[in-house]
Amino acid sequence: MTMKLDTLQATLEKVLGEQIIDLKREFGEITIRVAPGHYAAVAKTLRDHSELRFEQLIDLCGVDYSSYGEGAYEGPRFAAVSHLLSVTKNWRLRLKVLAANDDFPCVASVTPIWNSANWFEREAFDMFGIIFEGHEDLRRILTDYGFIGHPMRKDFPTTGHVEMRYDAEQKRVIYQPVTIEPREITPRVIREDNYGGL
């Protein structure tokens, strides 16, 4: 396995060179980080270069680093992380890009390169608010169209802002402010004598 990772690392450094901001090798995997301006070009090179051949995008997810390192992290807040697979070469790679602007996180879409990124990018947009520039159908996929906010951001309240319920009098679904009352949810455990044979 080490020789395979050595070969992949050497190939990445040779082909991508200065476009790699950071290359980490941990837990038997390689992660490369690239600048937002080079993201689409690097993705295309990873797919098309004869020595790399990452034909498949397995997963793409959003990340919110706002409380990373117990709040000690000071870099960009949002990232898009892709997991790539080369069936031809039988190796994997993690590709990370950090959005330059925390207030309006935006990176290029890789859907034209790997069409499997389509719904993953929509999910990252819906949950984290990351804009994928060039995506042809960037709209919510998991939350309601009228939903306000992005639930996976670490500053989003765990109870949400509104709740919806069916109102029998109005005979329709209505939205209203959240009515959850804070309470202690520690379960009480009552054990019988000789529980579990003890």
Side-chain angles (χ1 to χ4, degrees), residues 60-148:
L60 185 145
C61 59
V63 179
D64 182 353
Y65 283 109
S66 63
S67 62
Y68 182 71
E70 297 178 13
Y73 175 76
E74 294 182 3
R77 178 176 173 183
F78 296 102
V81 181
S82 305
H83 296 93
L84 308 176
L85 169 67
S86 172
V87 177
T88 306
K89 302 288 185 176
N90 191 26
W91 52 33
R92 294 174 183 266
L93 177 70
R94 184 177 297 114
L95 174 63
K96 184 191 299 186
V97 61
L98 293 162
N101 185 347
D102 291 347
D103 296 327
F104 188 74
C106 183
V107 297
S109 174
V110 292
T111 302
I113 299 164
W114 297 288
N115 61 3
S116 60
N118 185 356
W119 283 26
F120 293 129
E121 288 180 350
R122 285 181 59 190
E123 181 180 15
F125 162 70
D126 194 4
M127 296 289 108
F128 292 93
I130 300 170
I131 305 297
F132 291 90
E133 191 174 8
H135 193 288
E136 293 184 0
D137 188 22
L138 196 61
R139 57 190 164 101
R140 294 194 179 272
I141 191 170
L142 296 174
T143 59
D144 186 33
Y145 292 120
F147 190 86
I148 297 170

Side-chain angles (χ1 to χ4, degrees), residues 34-50:
V34 298
H38 296 146
Y39 179 51
V42 166
K44 191 163 179 13
T45 302
L46 289 171
R47 184 194 67 183
D48 295 341
H49 196 279
S50 61

